[in-house]
Amino acid sequence: MPEVSESIKAIQEAAKEDRFTYLTVLQYHVTSPEVLPALNDVLQDADLTQEIGWDLVQMLLNIEGSETCLETVARLGNPREVVIKIMEALEGLTVAWNNEVIVDVDDPGVIPDSKIPGKFITLLGMLAILHQRIKTKYPSRFLGPSLVKVFEAYQPTPEMTASVINLVYSLSGRKRPPLPTRKSSINVLNPDQDGDASKNAPDPEAEQEDPKEEAMQQKLLQAFVTCILQRYVNAHDMLWSPRLLEVYNPEKNVPGKKTTTEAFRENEELQKRDAVVGQLVALLRDLGLSKCRAEFVKGIFEGPVHNDPLAAFDDFSSADDIHLSPGGAVCLIAYWIFSKDVFGSDSPRPEMHIFPDHASMLGRFLGREVQSEILSSPGIADALLAIGLGLEHRNLIKAEEDANLMAYHHNLTLISVFHPDIQVRDAATRFAGSLLHSEPDDHTRLEILEDLLENCMFASLKACAITWLKEELIAARQRNLNNQFSSPEVIERLQYFLFPDMLSLNESNTEALVEFWAQNHLFLLQVANFAYFLFTGFKELVPAGMGAAVGQRFVEPLIAAAEKLQKVEGSEGEDRMQLSILTDRLRSLGLQ
């Protein structure tokens, strides 16, 4: 390796050689940060940098402290050629993630001390300068492919997202507003805003821009930012729906226990999540997405949900050919509702109702592969719930009489089963229960409960259905109602779903009983409690002769099975405790 002094001398003196020779010299001598100031001085020769700048991008990117030199390349190099090299460098970062990204759903991000985020931020700073220098008839043809490469290399960390925000503000012709001084602020390298644009060399191939270009570039940026918003929200637990419930129903918050809303207010990392999303939404507002019009809402669920907006970035002829990310648009509406109700922000009023708009949106997003869709896009599922909760809170329920509550309720309950976060699952359950009870038609309410008890394969949901049934029975008595839930007919209709025939358990071996308990214990514990509630407090609803029948087909074989399971060696303490609770509750009925 040459001495630093030797390298500096070579960098300075070889600049007079032909360009190919000089690049060879640089490849040998530009290997350490110490020589970079000398190189940057040489690169102030605009003619030289115009010719060799694009060949320096990858060479300099791998040297720590090369940001100043790369900024010079961005300001003085041939902008079209340097943009191509930056796209290649971004593609290289995308490949590099395969070895560095931590695959952890609880803490998405990159390994500590990774060099990739810094390189990404530097390249985006260069792009911000370069795209403003390119003066061509169709600048969107450069912008679209660049944004695709940026998105492919992007990882949803706060710093990389801040860099994306800086880039888009620059490309939109706006300067990023100064961030408030607080712990949640995220500041990264931003040479376009902090540097001297007067040093930019003119585009040697400048052309007059086509008048249609402004609309197309704006639509490209809108679509790109909605893609970023979707990816960021899916990677971080925003917990919008649980936080909205805490705000809507403060009386249900446990005294002395920190709420999720308080945790986000006090924890610096959680503050950053809110800050980043807020900045992305503010950016979209500045780009023209500031109203939640009915046509904007319909565009989300009437178009194809799983289209890739970025696929059109290389082939479009008008702004209408470019589409927003449907998932990003959902997150945008959810944040409008959330920030209005939690932060008191001046967000647009949603021009939509639960029926038909949100019901169509929810059904379209969940599709046929519900479990995989929720698990792959947990942030969108939370956002969809937040929208539903916000619409219910605003009493925006029905825009038309023809509403399929059963299908909508079914989709809500599937989020309560499959979502990876317990707080979101709980929010989905509470919303489903609230919406069920608010349905004015008691026949519809009973049909939904009957469908859940008869056809649902998830014990946790059947347990919820029993809770909702109990609440309906209590409401009918307290309000002195004469409806489907005020006579023995409701129990007669549901009794074989509530208290199914368990006689086959008498013939089951231990292994089968263990599996049966694992799959059904939530339902069994809930139905035992419901039986006690019914036979001791609501006897007037019990059809004549039903008690003896339930005792024979349900209570007796279930007690026998539970006693067998309590004797199984190696069973966990929690299982033993729950089996003991079950047998005690069943025996207290006096039906065996």
Side-chain angles (χ1 to χ4, degrees), residues 34 73 83 88 115 122 155 162 172 185 198 289 329 342 357 417 470 508 530-531 549:
E34 291 80 7
V73 169
V83 161
E88 291 178 2
K115 304 297 184 185
T122 299
Q155 291 293 326
S172 66
S185 298
S198 66
L289 290 180
V342 176
D357 308 305
V417 170
K470 177 181 174 181
S508 299
F530 178 79

Side-chain angles (χ1 to χ4, degrees), residues 447-457 462 465 494 496-498:
E447 286 173 1
I448 290 173
L449 291 173
E450 183 178 33
D451 178 66
L452 278 171
L453 291 169
E454 180 182 6
N455 299 314
C456 182
M457 65 178 70
K462 292 173 74 173
L494 300 178
Y496 288 98
F497 307 134
L498 293 167

Side-chain angles (χ1 to χ4, degrees), residues 22 78 80 86 96 106 134 191 267 308 328 355 458:
Y22 188 49
N78 184 304
R80 290 166 169 79
I86 289 178
D106 295 323
I134 295 176
N267 183 281
D308 177 11
F355 300 103
F458 304 107

Side-chain angles (χ1 to χ4, degrees), residues 565-583:
L565 285 169
Q566 285 178 288
K567 298 175 184 177
V568 173
E569 292 185 9
S571 58
E572 295 184 4
E574 185 176 353
D575 281 332
R576 290 179 184 274
M577 181 181 69
Q578 291 180 339
L579 287 164
S580 176
I581 292 171
L582 178 66
T583 53

